[in-house]
Amino acid sequence: MEFSAEVIADFLKGEIVGDPSIVVSGVSKIEEGTPGTLAFLSNPQYIKYIYDSKASIVLINADFELKQQPKATLIKVPDAYEAFASLLQLAEAAKPKKQGIEAQSFISDSATVGENGYVGAFAYIGENVKLGNNVRIYPHAFVGDNVTIGDGSTIFAGAKIYESCILGKDVTIHAGAVIGADGFGFAPSSANDYKKIPQIGNVILEDHVEIGANATIDRATMGSTIIRKGVKLDNMNHVGHNVEIGANTVMAAQGGIAGSTKVGENCMFGGQVGIAPHITVADGTKAAAKAGIGSNVKKKDSILMGAPAFDLSEFRRSFVMFKRLPELYSMLRDAQQKIEDMLKTK
Amino acid sequence: MEFSAEVIADFLKGEIVGDPSIVVSGVSKIEEGTPGTLAFLSNPQYIKYIYDSKASIVLINADFELKQQPKATLIKVPDAYEAFASLLQLAEAAKPKKQGIEAQSFISDSATVGENGYVGAFAYIGENVKLGNNVRIYPHAFVGDNVTIGDGSTIFAGAKIYESCILGKDVTIHAGAVIGADGFGFAPSSANDYKKIPQIGNVILEDHVEIGANATIDRATMGSTIIRKGVKLDNMNHVGHNVEIGANTVMAAQGGIAGSTKVGENCMFGGQVGIAPHITVADGTKAAAKAGIGSNVKKKDSILMGAPAFDLSEFRRSFVMFKRLPELYSMLRDAQQKIEDMLKTK
Amino acid sequence: MEFSAEVIADFLKGEIVGDPSIVVSGVSKIEEGTPGTLAFLSNPQYIKYIYDSKASIVLINADFELKQQPKATLIKVPDAYEAFASLLQLAEAAKPKKQGIEAQSFISDSATVGENGYVGAFAYIGENVKLGNNVRIYPHAFVGDNVTIGDGSTIFAGAKIYESCILGKDVTIHAGAVIGADGFGFAPSSANDYKKIPQIGNVILEDHVEIGANATIDRATMGSTIIRKGVKLDNMNHVGHNVEIGANTVMAAQGGIAGSTKVGENCMFGGQVGIAPHITVADGTKAAAKAGIGSNVKKKDSILMGAPAFDLSEFRRSFVMFKRLPELYSMLRDAQQKIEDMLKTK
């Protein structure tokens, strides 16, 4: 399918600089642009590529100042990245979706399946499961007994959802993620071994939650582990039992949140971050990759780094000195020597 | 099902303070207690909730001193958490278990399946596999050729067990865990590439081992990777080839033990801990979250923190100073200046 | 099957010291050697075991100097570990391979399957998939639409390959790994929530790549996430969207490479390493376990440690001082006191 600059600018409510009739049929990165494709320029680091980009159309932030007119036709928009995302979403929405029920699937008699959905071969739908409309369950996905999944949700290949979990609308679970496995609860006994605490709660994922590949969200011991609406967890994140994560918090890959911790809204965590059990993390907290948040974060919009984590700017100042520690030690020894000399000569 | 305080106290050998005839049909957390439910009070932090808890019955440590009589009926026991765990286990044991062989499973002709077990749809049981009695294999689980699984074990949905691994009794493998994939063994060749070392060993999991969701335990190059009885590994733990973990050691989520390392008994590791290859870690070692144990731990019951890890109290003392490093640097510069001044004026 | 020392020495082009007619039918570790088995001695730490090893044959580095003649027959080779690997590979190659198409598999009509391959029960082969010759697809593996897999590749149980990914020859994907899930791309909106950026690229794995159990390699936003030939990634590694990893780089378990980063050739990374997004890491870079590489590594063959990572020897020198920080602080306070005293007495 081809689109002209005019049609695209009209959709994005942008302003054309160049040829409105030029057409594109695909997308490209600005630094690798090819004729017939559309690229975008959002990160100022890439501005040098615009003058020579062979892309036919480039979406560009309206406030960028260019030294000369590029070869490509420009469409000026307030936020080129967001505009580009809109176009991709449009293309994605236009793509044919998997539909229907493949013969080799297993659907319990007591399960209900909404309209226009997909259940792939080898998908397993347990007893009393309720699937909304437009729900897509890919091959090898496991949906345990009494699970509810809201309209428009997608469960990718091999994701596993244990019994009695509740998923909202437009939830996406990527391949291999495990929702609702037992929390890690064992009572130490006097014989130095452990007695398992049955985990009788569940997991609730609210609307628009996205869970990355091979992530694990444990069920609550009692009650629910709750992931509020709009939360995005990247691959291999781990969420312990009875955790609650506030709306629109995002976490990069391989992070872990230990049991019973309450994380606020609109937080952002880098990769491999760890958060201790039984603490509260304020709304808007940000933590750099590999941070270890070991105690309550009370101040909203805190920015943290290190393990144990503390204020990012302070961490950086301390770390500069950490790198100079051998030098500081020499300075200190030198000072000591001079003091000794002075004391001797007195 | 309803139980009276009298029946519960009798089972737990506890002492009733309040109404022995009051009945409960579920459980709740003490801070969210509702009529008709049983809660417990074990952590002193929660003692403030007992006076107003609406739970009908509360299990409480016999040695807790209360300021006034709560509304709830109390059952005094030596350890309320353990008593509560016993009740949950009782309830769990009473729940109907999955049983029988679902039609769409695959069981090799040469496999033997014990009594009262469950094999879910799309489960794969390879050649010469031996399943004990009361073994439950959930949908999408893969049990490779020549695997043995002892009585009472449960393999949850989509767990994968490679050929020739041996699982003891009452072993639990959560969804997505992979037991017996190849160890990471490659011999560098002169051409800068790597020659794979075939991994011809296996994995042995002894009785009462529990392996979390999406964890991976690699098979040995030769011989066996061995997890001793009672070990509990949380989600996404990684255990390298030829590792041995001693009895009743527990490890929180996302830890990793590199190849050929020998970890002792009764150890406790926080989340995201890493342990280097080819080392020995003494019995009873504890390590805080994110510790990196880089060399042999010879002293039993060591408590470690940091990466590389060393004694936890020492780490904390050093870390306090790390946070003050910019200040220490100023102090040092100031001392230098004063020394210079003194030397000049002499 | 039995092999004599003579046959083995002939295959390895090694020199026999001892009985050329002695036969072995299995392998063992030198410290646990048993009659009728072959062991090897490569690591000098294990040299003490050779004199009493009950193994019938031991492969040994030709340049090792022994104090006395061991009981075992020796075969001297330039590199005992590599020689041993060759023998294991020979044994591995001789083992019967899974072959044929098991009845309960799903293969789309439009898919093409090469010769001498294996497709296990419950494996799913999507539309237009192209499988080369000698490709083995284990049970529960998911091969999405339009995926291509080259000759001799193995996809173990339950690995998931999303649509349109391209795998070269002799690629190995271990159980539970996920290739081609969506990259973590969301555009923040003014309403504090996030708009998903559709991920329309794919993943390319070149020849001889090996991906560990439960690892995840995300598809590119546009274009391809590329893993060059010979790369070996251990279990639970995470590779973000649009990453490129150069040939023959190896990474131990639980590492993560964030989006759009370019890692060079012949790099070696320890366990739990993290690499920041949008950076370049030079060829031959090595990083110790738990390193956090936060910025461009420009110098080839850099050796890094710490988080944020810097030169390993410098890190070690700083870390020695970190452990002594409380002592340094005392020294500093002591110096301050002496200065004060001197100033007072002046």
Side-chain angles (χ1 to χ4, degrees):
Chain A
M1 259 197 324
E2 290 196 333
F3 299 92
S4 69
E6 194 162 15
V7 165
I8 295 167
D10 195 52
F11 172 75
L12 296 174
K13 312 217 180 311
E15 178 200 345
I16 299 176
V17 183
D19 175 7
S21 68
I22 197 165
V23 293
V24 293
S25 61
V27 296
S28 63
K29 299 186 218 173
I30 186 150
E31 69 274 27
E32 303 171 349
T34 51
T37 65
L38 173 145
F40 72 102
L41 176 58
S42 163
N43 184 333
Q45 280 184 19
Y46 287 75
I47 210 160
K48 61 190 172 198
Y49 294 111
I50 195 163
Y51 304 107
D52 293 322
S53 181
K54 296 195 174 61
S56 298
I57 303 177
V58 179
L59 307 183
I60 182 169
N61 288 358
D63 58 3
F64 273 6
E65 291 186 9
L66 298 180
K67 293 182 209 152
Q68 57 182 95
Q69 176 63 21
K71 291 161 197 155
T73 291
L74 304 181
I75 299 179
K76 292 184 167 186
V77 290
D79 182 330
Y81 187 51
E82 197 180 332
F84 186 73
S86 303
L87 291 181
L88 286 182
Q89 286 169 330
L90 199 70
E92 186 75 8
K95 271 175 45 177
K97 296 276 179 307
K98 292 272 180 190
Q99 251 185 358
I101 294 177
E102 293 181 351
Q104 285 156 279
S105 57
F106 176 103
I107 302 180
S108 296
D109 291 342
S110 54
T112 60
V113 177
E115 293 177 1
N116 300 315
Y118 168 60
V119 179
F122 315 129
Y124 184 100
I125 313 293
E127 291 173 27
N128 304 312
V129 167
K130 286 186 180 52
L131 303 181
N133 297 325
N134 301 303
V135 168
R136 291 179 289 155
I137 310 286
Y138 275 73
H140 310 114
F142 171 82
V143 182
D145 297 346
N146 307 308
V147 167
T148 300
I149 301 180
D151 294 349
S153 292
T154 301
I155 313 299
F156 279 102
K160 310 297 178 201
I161 304 171
Y162 279 52
E163 54 170 357
S164 304
C165 293
I166 299 171
L167 280 65
K169 293 178 184 175
D170 297 313
V171 167
T172 303
I173 310 288
H174 279 285
V178 176
I179 311 299
D182 283 355
F184 198 62
F186 299 92
S189 87
S190 45
N192 258 339
D193 59 3
Y194 293 87
K195 208 181 244 190
K196 182 174 175 80
I197 314 292
Q199 305 287 305
I200 62 174
N202 73 344
V203 174
I204 296 175
L205 306 180
E206 294 189 349
D207 299 349
H208 300 288
V209 164
E210 182 155 346
I211 305 292
N214 285 348
T216 63
I217 319 288
D218 281 356
R219 71 196 303 109
T221 308
M222 288 184 285
S224 299
T225 302
I226 303 177
I227 315 286
R228 298 287 178 203
K229 74 183 166 56
V231 167
K232 315 293 182 190
L233 301 181
D234 198 357
N235 295 349
M236 282 189 265
N237 272 298
H238 165 72
V239 178
H241 47 181
N242 290 92
V243 165
E244 180 176 341
I245 305 181
N248 297 318
T249 281
V250 296
M251 194 169 211
Q254 297 177 317
I257 305 176
S260 298
T261 279
K262 193 168 167 170
V263 173
E265 301 182 351
N266 302 312
C267 295
M268 297 183 72
F269 301 104
Q272 302 182 337
V273 163
I275 305 182
H278 293 281
I279 65 170
T280 299
V281 177
D283 292 349
T285 297
K286 289 184 174 62
K290 284 192 174 282
I293 302 179
S295 53
N296 289 319
V297 179
K298 292 176 183 164
K299 205 172 124 259
K300 283 191 186 186
D301 303 318
S302 293
I303 305 183
L304 306 172
M305 189 169 184
F310 57 104
D311 179 76
L312 177 132
S313 333
E314 288 176 25
F315 177 88
R316 286 195 170 146
R317 280 194 290 272
S318 280
F319 198 75
V320 166
M321 287 299 144
F322 171 77
K323 293 173 82 165
R324 291 178 60 188
L325 273 178
E327 178 197 342
L328 266 61
Y329 182 66
S330 297
M331 286 164 63
L332 182 54
R333 293 289 300 226
D334 181 63
Q336 279 187 320
Q337 190 56 52
K338 282 176 177 152
I339 291 168
E340 290 310 311
D341 291 348
M342 283 191 279
L343 288 171
K344 255 184 247 162
T345 58
K346 248 164 98 169
Chain B
M1 259 198 325
E2 291 194 333
F3 298 92
S4 68
E6 193 162 15
V7 165
I8 295 166
D10 195 52
F11 172 75
L12 295 174
K13 313 219 180 308
E15 178 199 344
I16 299 177
V17 183
D19 175 6
S21 68
I22 197 165
V23 293
V24 292
S25 61
V27 295
S28 64
K29 298 187 219 175
I30 186 150
E31 69 274 28
E32 303 170 348
T34 51
T37 65
L38 173 144
F40 73 101
L41 175 58
S42 163
N43 185 333
Q45 280 185 19
Y46 287 75
I47 210 160
K48 61 190 172 198
Y49 293 111
I50 195 164
Y51 304 107
D52 293 321
S53 182
K54 296 195 175 62
S56 298
I57 303 177
V58 179
L59 306 183
I60 182 170
N61 288 357
D63 58 2
F64 272 7
E65 292 186 8
L66 299 180
K67 294 182 207 152
Q68 56 183 95
Q69 176 62 23
K71 292 161 196 154
T73 291
L74 304 182
I75 299 179
K76 292 184 167 186
V77 290
D79 182 332
Y81 187 51
E82 197 180 331
F84 186 73
S86 302
L87 291 181
L88 287 183
Q89 287 170 329
L90 199 69
E92 187 76 9
K95 269 174 46 177
K97 295 276 181 305
K98 293 271 180 189
Q99 252 186 357
I101 294 177
E102 293 181 351
Q104 285 156 280
S105 57
F106 176 103
I107 302 180
S108 296
D109 292 341
S110 54
T112 59
V113 177
E115 292 177 3
N116 301 315
Y118 168 60
V119 179
F122 315 129
Y124 184 99
I125 312 293
E127 291 174 27
N128 305 312
V129 167
K130 286 184 181 51
L131 303 181
N133 297 325
N134 302 303
V135 168
R136 291 179 290 156
I137 309 287
Y138 275 73
H140 310 115
F142 171 82
V143 182
D145 298 345
N146 306 308
V147 166
T148 300
I149 300 181
D151 294 350
S153 292
T154 301
I155 312 299
F156 279 103
K160 309 297 178 200
I161 304 171
Y162 280 53
E163 55 171 356
S164 304
C165 293
I166 298 170
L167 280 66
K169 292 178 185 176
D170 297 313
V171 167
T172 302
I173 309 288
H174 279 286
V178 176
I179 312 299
D182 283 354
F184 197 61
F186 300 92
S189 86
S190 45
N192 257 341
D193 59 3
Y194 293 88
K195 208 183 244 189
K196 182 173 175 80
I197 314 291
Q199 305 288 306
I200 62 173
N202 73 344
V203 174
I204 296 174
L205 306 180
E206 294 189 349
D207 299 349
H208 299 288
V209 164
E210 183 154 345
I211 304 292
N214 284 348
T216 62
I217 320 287
D218 280 355
R219 69 195 305 107
T221 308
M222 288 185 286
S224 299
T225 302
I226 302 176
I227 316 287
R228 297 287 177 203
K229 74 184 166 56
V231 168
K232 315 292 182 193
L233 301 181
D234 198 358
N235 296 348
M236 282 188 265
N237 272 297
H238 164 71
V239 178
H241 47 180
N242 290 93
V243 165
E244 181 176 340
I245 304 181
N248 298 318
T249 281
V250 297
M251 194 169 211
Q254 297 177 316
I257 305 176
S260 299
T261 279
K262 193 168 168 171
V263 174
E265 301 182 352
N266 303 312
C267 296
M268 297 183 71
F269 301 104
Q272 301 182 338
V273 163
I275 305 182
H278 293 281
I279 65 171
T280 300
V281 176
D283 292 349
T285 296
K286 288 185 174 62
K290 284 192 175 283
I293 302 179
S295 53
N296 290 319
V297 179
K298 291 175 183 166
K299 204 171 125 261
K300 283 190 187 187
D301 303 318
S302 294
I303 305 183
L304 305 173
M305 189 169 183
F310 57 104
D311 178 75
L312 177 133
S313 330
E314 288 176 25
F315 177 88
R316 286 196 170 145
R317 279 195 290 271
S318 281
F319 198 75
V320 165
M321 288 299 146
F322 172 77
K323 293 173 82 165
R324 291 177 59 188
L325 273 178
E327 178 197 341
L328 265 61
Y329 183 66
S330 297
M331 286 165 63
L332 182 54
R333 292 290 300 228
D334 182 62
Q336 279 186 321
Q337 190 57 53
K338 283 178 178 151
I339 291 168
E340 290 309 311
D341 292 347
M342 283 192 278
L343 289 172
K344 254 184 245 162
T345 57
K346 248 165 95 168
Chain C
M1 261 202 317
E2 290 196 333
F3 298 92
S4 68
E6 193 162 16
V7 165
I8 294 167
D10 194 52
F11 172 75
L12 296 174
K13 312 218 181 309
E15 179 199 345
I16 300 176
V17 182
D19 174 6
S21 68
I22 197 165
V23 293
V24 292
S25 62
V27 296
S28 63
K29 299 187 219 173
I30 186 149
E31 70 274 27
E32 303 170 349
T34 51
T37 64
L38 173 144
F40 73 101
L41 175 58
S42 164
N43 184 334
Q45 281 184 18
Y46 287 76
I47 210 161
K48 61 190 172 197
Y49 294 111
I50 195 164
Y51 304 107
D52 292 322
S53 180
K54 295 197 175 62
S56 298
I57 303 177
V58 179
L59 306 184
I60 183 169
N61 288 356
D63 58 2
F64 273 6
E65 291 186 9
L66 299 179
K67 293 182 209 154
Q68 56 183 94
Q69 176 62 22
K71 289 162 198 155
T73 291
L74 304 182
I75 300 179
K76 293 183 166 187
V77 289
D79 183 330
Y81 187 52
E82 197 181 332
F84 186 73
S86 303
L87 291 181
L88 286 183
Q89 287 170 330
L90 199 69
E92 187 75 8
K95 270 175 45 179
K97 295 277 180 306
K98 293 271 179 189
Q99 253 187 356
I101 294 177
E102 293 181 351
Q104 286 157 280
S105 57
F106 176 103
I107 302 180
S108 297
D109 292 342
S110 53
T112 60
V113 177
E115 292 177 3
N116 301 316
Y118 168 62
V119 179
F122 315 129
Y124 184 99
I125 311 294
E127 291 173 26
N128 304 312
V129 167
K130 285 185 181 53
L131 304 181
N133 297 324
N134 302 303
V135 168
R136 289 180 290 156
I137 310 287
Y138 275 73
H140 310 114
F142 171 82
V143 182
D145 298 345
N146 306 308
V147 167
T148 300
I149 300 181
D151 295 350
S153 292
T154 301
I155 314 299
F156 279 102
K160 309 297 179 201
I161 305 171
Y162 280 52
E163 55 170 357
S164 305
C165 292
I166 299 170
L167 280 65
K169 293 178 185 175
D170 298 312
V171 167
T172 302
I173 310 288
H174 279 285
V178 175
I179 311 299
D182 282 355
F184 197 62
F186 299 92
S189 87
S190 45
N192 258 340
D193 60 1
Y194 293 88
K195 209 182 243 190
K196 182 173 174 81
I197 315 291
Q199 305 287 307
I200 62 174
N202 73 344
V203 175
I204 297 175
L205 306 180
E206 294 189 350
D207 300 349
H208 300 287
V209 163
E210 183 155 345
I211 304 292
N214 285 348
T216 63
I217 319 287
D218 281 356
R219 69 195 305 108
T221 308
M222 288 184 285
S224 299
T225 302
I226 303 177
I227 316 287
R228 297 287 177 202
K229 75 182 165 58
V231 167
K232 315 294 182 192
L233 301 181
D234 198 357
N235 296 348
M236 283 188 264
N237 272 298
H238 164 72
V239 178
H241 47 181
N242 290 92
V243 165
E244 181 176 342
I245 304 181
N248 297 318
T249 281
V250 296
M251 194 168 210
Q254 298 176 315
I257 305 176
S260 299
T261 279
K262 194 168 168 171
V263 173
E265 302 182 352
N266 302 311
C267 296
M268 296 183 72
F269 302 105
Q272 302 182 337
V273 164
I275 305 182
H278 293 281
I279 65 171
T280 299
V281 177
D283 292 350
T285 297
K286 289 184 174 61
K290 284 191 175 284
I293 302 179
S295 53
N296 289 319
V297 178
K298 291 175 184 164
K299 205 172 123 259
K300 284 191 187 186
D301 303 317
S302 294
I303 305 183
L304 305 172
M305 191 169 183
F310 58 103
D311 179 76
L312 177 132
S313 331
E314 288 176 26
F315 177 88
R316 286 195 170 145
R317 279 195 290 270
S318 282
F319 198 76
V320 166
M321 287 300 145
F322 171 78
K323 293 173 82 165
R324 292 178 61 188
L325 273 178
E327 178 198 344
L328 266 61
Y329 182 65
S330 296
M331 285 164 63
L332 182 54
R333 292 291 298 231
D334 181 63
Q336 280 187 319
Q337 190 58 53
K338 283 177 178 151
I339 291 167
E340 289 310 310
D341 292 346
M342 282 192 280
L343 289 172
K344 255 185 242 161
T345 57
K346 248 165 98 164

